[in-house]
Amino acid sequence: MNRKERFARVIERFQQHMPVAETELLYRTPYELMVAVILSAQCTDKRVNMITPALLHRFPTVSDMAGSTPQEVYEYIKSCSYPNNKSKHLVGMARALLSEFGGVVPSRIEELMRLPGVGRKTANVIAAVVFNQPALAVDTHVFRVSARLGLTRNARTPLAAERQLVQYIPEKLIPIAHHWLILHGRYVCTSRKPQCHLCQLADICPYPDKNIQT
Ligand code: SF4
């Protein structure tokens, strides 16, 4: 099976078995998603979803967050990983949104990456989820699952993996492909003990260390 065929078969399988795939972060507006994605670095979506209701009740708008201080924000997010840095990033992000973008979350990746706390991965998530752009955020799950499935080859960095993936995935499927790979990695193709006996892609997966124990 050549690379193009492999991508086609993997995509077809995901379309069959996971026709709907969306972020598990809870949000109502681009600003709220931005807050949730910043909090989600090295932290589970479940934990983030526990934190955001009170945080966003206290800081419902960009202006509210921009007018706060990292010390105050810290109190709402201290059960998350890296609360010191993240509280600085949240306030900095809101202030930059206000001063540079009129309080509106921009759609371009280069603009998003100018905001404090927003790296390429976060910018890609916002661009894809909010603006349905062909941006593919590569997190640890996407990185691992893509390599095991033979979609990426010898990719040493998330950026290298992203470049290989977007070369073969049709543009309009890139936003959902991100969620396919994350959800598959989170619930089936887990880091230590992939559940290959439950995997809908097992017959086309070339990973040599499949876990076939039930
Ligand atoms: S067969 Fe196993 S290693 Fe391959 S994608 Fe499925 S869970 Fe992951």
Side-chain angles (χ1 to χ4, degrees):
M1 196 187 319
N2 67 30
R3 196 98 176 266
K4 208 170 154 194
E5 288 162 349
R6 174 163 299 286
F7 268 86
R9 292 194 66 183
V10 168
I11 288 170
E12 190 187 17
R13 209 57 77 81
F14 275 128
Q15 283 177 318
Q16 262 174 345
H17 295 286
M18 224 193 286
V20 177
E22 293 168 345
T23 179
E24 294 185 313
L25 292 169
L26 301 175
Y27 72 99
R28 293 165 300 186
T29 64
Y31 157 68
E32 291 192 0
L33 182 63
M34 180 76 89
V35 169
V37 178
I38 288 174
L39 288 174
S40 73
Q42 314 281 321
C43 187
T44 64
D45 287 2
K46 203 172 159 194
R47 165 68 51 192
V48 173
N49 289 339
M50 288 164 68
I51 291 170
T52 46
L55 177 69
L56 293 168
H57 182 72
R58 171 65 187 84
F59 308 108
T61 66
V62 176
S63 305
D64 295 316
M65 183 67 80
S68 178
T69 61
Q71 292 74 15
E72 194 185 354
V73 172
Y74 176 93
E75 290 304 314
Y76 289 85
I77 69 165
K78 59 189 175 193
S79 66
C80 188
S81 55
Y82 306 107
N84 271 316
N85 277 341
K86 287 178 183 174
S87 52
K88 283 181 205 150
H89 287 154
L90 287 174
V91 173
M93 173 275 290
R95 288 179 183 169
L97 264 187
L98 214 50
S99 61
E100 291 187 44
F101 301 101
V104 178
V105 174
S107 61
R108 290 183 50 230
I109 289 166
E110 303 72 36
E111 290 176 330
L112 286 160
M113 285 177 67
R114 286 188 0 224
L115 300 167
V118 179
R120 186 171 183 90
K121 191 176 71 177
T122 301
N124 279 350
V125 172
I126 302 292
V129 175
V130 176
F131 301 104
N132 202 33
Q133 286 185 25
L136 203 151
V138 175
D139 73 348
T140 178
H141 297 302
V142 174
F143 192 79
R144 179 182 69 254
V145 174
S146 303
R148 285 178 179 172
L149 280 168
L151 299 177
T152 54
R153 291 182 189 162
N154 304 318
R156 302 212 187 286
T157 63
L159 183 58
E162 179 190 327
R163 288 198 172 129
Q164 292 187 28
L165 291 168
V166 298
Q167 209 182 322
Y168 288 94
I169 301 173
E171 269 200 11
K172 66 176 184 350
L173 294 179
I174 287 176
I176 194 171
H178 161 75
H179 298 302
W180 283 334
L181 293 165
I182 283 195
L183 295 171
H184 193 61
R186 198 173 279 166
Y187 297 112
V188 182
C189 191
T190 44
S191 174
R192 288 208 202 134
K193 272 195 176 177
Q195 301 187 63
C196 304
H197 56 288
L198 298 175
C199 179
Q200 309 283 5
L201 298 135
D203 60 318
I204 51 175
C205 174
Y207 185 52
D209 299 322
K210 282 186 199 155
N211 169 25
I212 48 169
Q213 287 172 0
T214 55

